[in-house]
Amino acid sequence: MRQKLAILGASEPHLPLYLKAREMGLETYCIAWAEGAYCKDFADHFFDISIIEKERIAELCLAEKIDGIVANALEPAVPTVAYVAGKCRFNGISYEAALRAVNKKLMRQRIALTGACRQPAFAVLKKGDPVPEIFPSIIKPTDSSCSNGVSEVSSPQEIPAAIERALSASGSGEILVEEFIDGREISVESISFHGKHHILAITDKETTGAPYFVETAHHEPSSLPADIQNEIRKTVPGILDALELTEGASHAEFKITADGKIYFIEIGARGGGDCISYDLVRLSTGYDFPKGMIEVALGRFSEPGPAAGKYSGIYFLSKDTEYVRDFIEKNKDREWAVRWEIDEGPLKPLRKSQDRSGYIIYQSDHKITVNNG
């Protein structure tokens, strides 16, 4: 009898998860809103249920005798997966750990309590609270993702607009005011099973910079000095332990200052979006990340082998990166071009990740650089 797997989310970027489950011989249950559910035709069963309706999904999994539940690169699905795993006795993190992983206030407080890593000074505010004078600072919602509601402020005059922007993206009505850390941005892609953590890749990020810090490119492997990379690899397991993220994929973000200090920014109990977990990790290391996520969800796991040693990356098209369009057109048929896309319509200025209008993914024996001059 085939094992049964519930998968939350069905938009087109998540197709690799469905295809991998099919390749593994699993019977799949797609759970998502019907509108935009591209992946429903690649599953054995489809249920038109919101991914945040955790009680209904738990009832469904029990009724259908499902063996595990998984989602990826979907922040709202993290608590649902954990809740269902707890109710159905699947492998997964606790519901309390999941809530910490999607709330930056709870995350900051736990890291401060455990001393797991250096992090920016911070304050939690609600509407009308006095704002601490930390300049420059980052103002952001406690419970959003994809750079929604994030701003840098350097003077008192910029505070009202930044607070309004953060509050508009906050479901809880709480925001964070954090010390701005000037440095390189990186992320760390990991997978854990029964509390053993495997660091898969360190990803270099390029962003728009102030005031919104939306990513414009990602590259693996990182070009950071080896000693700093080693320190990061030692630091991440302590953060995962502190937050009790013992099972599944994680995506941790850090800033590295000019003098080599490592600052923890945030972590997601999921694989990285922007094609990081579905594409870049596999292209640079050879590790089948979606397969690993599914194995963890089903309570079985094959440890990663040695990394393949390739370079991979993605460049995003937007009004801020108009030069990427010409780069895509000139290079889309090159042997290192894995996949590309250009949306129709005018390019948008980058205020959040959803404003991007296309991309190109590469794999090579060296980092591919775009000339924006």
Side-chain angles (χ1 to χ4, degrees):
M1 182 181 294
R2 291 192 297 167
Q3 283 191 292
K4 299 179 178 182
L5 179 72
I7 304 177
L8 302 189
S11 60
E12 188 172 357
H14 302 295
L15 181 59
L17 205 53
Y18 288 85
L19 296 179
K20 184 55 59 175
R22 175 185 289 177
E23 180 187 307
M24 294 169 70
L26 303 174
E27 185 174 350
T28 50
Y29 290 71
C30 173
I31 301 171
W33 275 334
E35 183 179 354
Y38 177 88
C39 294
K40 69 179 181 180
D41 295 330
F42 296 87
D44 297 296
H45 312 276
F46 172 70
F47 293 87
D48 183 6
I49 303 174
S50 167
I51 64 172
I52 65 172
E53 292 188 64
K54 59 185 187 294
E55 293 89 356
R56 284 187 64 191
I57 296 171
E59 290 173 2
L60 170 66
C61 289
L62 288 169
E64 295 290 331
K65 296 182 170 54
I66 288 171
D67 299 294
I69 186 168
V70 69
N72 184 44
L74 283 172
E75 200 79 354
V78 171
T80 300
V81 169
Y83 176 87
V84 174
K87 288 292 182 180
C88 300
R89 299 190 176 183
F90 299 155
N91 193 48
I93 61 174
S94 71
Y95 186 57
E96 293 74 18
L99 293 180
R100 281 193 294 271
V102 297
N103 186 294
K104 297 173 179 64
K105 176 187 79 171
L106 300 178
M107 189 184 302
R108 283 268 178 260
Q109 291 172 340
R110 176 56 70 97
I111 295 300
L113 179 67
T114 60
C117 185
R118 182 187 290 111
Q119 65 178 350
F122 69 97
V124 182
L125 305 180
K126 293 184 177 179
K127 188 171 185 178
D129 288 346
V131 183
E133 293 195 0
I134 306 172
F135 300 111
S137 62
I138 297 292
I139 296 180
K140 59 187 178 184
T142 60
D143 54 354
S144 70
S145 58
C146 301
S147 301
N148 288 318
V150 179
S151 303
E152 181 197 7
V153 299
S154 342
S155 68
Q157 292 75 27
E158 297 172 326
I159 288 176
I163 287 181
E164 188 61 34
R165 175 177 161 82
L167 284 170
S168 69
S170 172
S172 66
E174 292 184 323
I175 62 174
L176 280 176
V177 179
E178 296 182 348
E179 169 193 12
F180 172 69
I181 305 300
D182 188 17
R184 286 181 59 173
E185 294 193 29
I186 62 103
S187 65
V188 181
E189 326 312 329
S190 308
I191 192 161
S192 305
F193 185 65
H194 293 357
K196 185 175 181 180
H197 311 299
H198 303 271
I199 310 302
L200 302 173
I202 299 176
T203 309
D204 286 339
K205 296 177 174 291
E206 298 176 20
T207 77
T208 57
Y212 303 118
F213 299 95
V214 183
E215 287 95 344
T216 58
H218 304 293
H219 306 278
E220 295 178 8
S222 173
S223 62
L224 282 168
D227 60 333
I228 294 178
Q229 292 197 46
N230 289 337
E231 188 63 30
I232 292 168
R233 289 175 177 272
K234 292 176 184 176
T235 298
V236 170
I239 293 171
L240 293 168
D241 288 341
L243 295 171
E244 299 178 330
L245 302 181
T246 57
E247 311 292 332
S250 62
H251 172 79
E253 297 184 352
F254 295 85
K255 283 279 197 80
I256 316 299
T257 63
D259 59 355
K261 289 188 174 67
I262 299 166
Y263 281 83
F264 171 68
I265 303 301
E266 63 187 49
I267 194 168
R270 52 169 176 76
D274 288 354
C275 301
I276 292 174
S277 55
Y278 283 133
D279 294 279
L280 301 194
V281 169
R282 173 180 55 82
L283 292 170
S284 65
T285 72
Y287 179 67
D288 193 334
F289 210 172
K291 181 181 179 183
M293 296 176 204
I294 293 170
E295 287 182 335
V296 171
L298 294 174
R300 51 188 170 90
F301 183 63
S302 305
E303 294 197 358
K310 294 284 189 177
Y311 286 77
S312 70
I314 184 168
Y315 286 98
F316 294 104
L317 173 64
S318 68
K319 184 67 175 174
D320 300 61
T321 58
E322 291 186 76
Y323 53 87
V324 172
R325 183 196 295 274
D326 185 56
F327 179 80
I328 294 173
E329 295 290 358
K330 288 181 177 178
N331 295 285
K332 61 187 181 183
D333 295 322
R334 299 285 292 272
E335 69 281 356
W336 46 258
V338 175
R339 191 169 73 249
W340 63 275
E341 184 176 305
I342 298 177
D343 298 340
E344 295 181 359
L347 301 180
K348 301 176 185 177
L350 277 180
R351 300 292 182 269
K352 55 187 182 300
S353 297
Q354 293 90 335
D355 293 329
R356 296 181 296 212
S357 299
Y359 63 86
I360 184 169
I361 297 173
Y362 72 83
Q363 182 195 47
S364 180
D365 59 359
H366 63 280
K367 179 180 176 180
I368 300 294
T369 303
V370 175
N371 183 356
N372 63 358

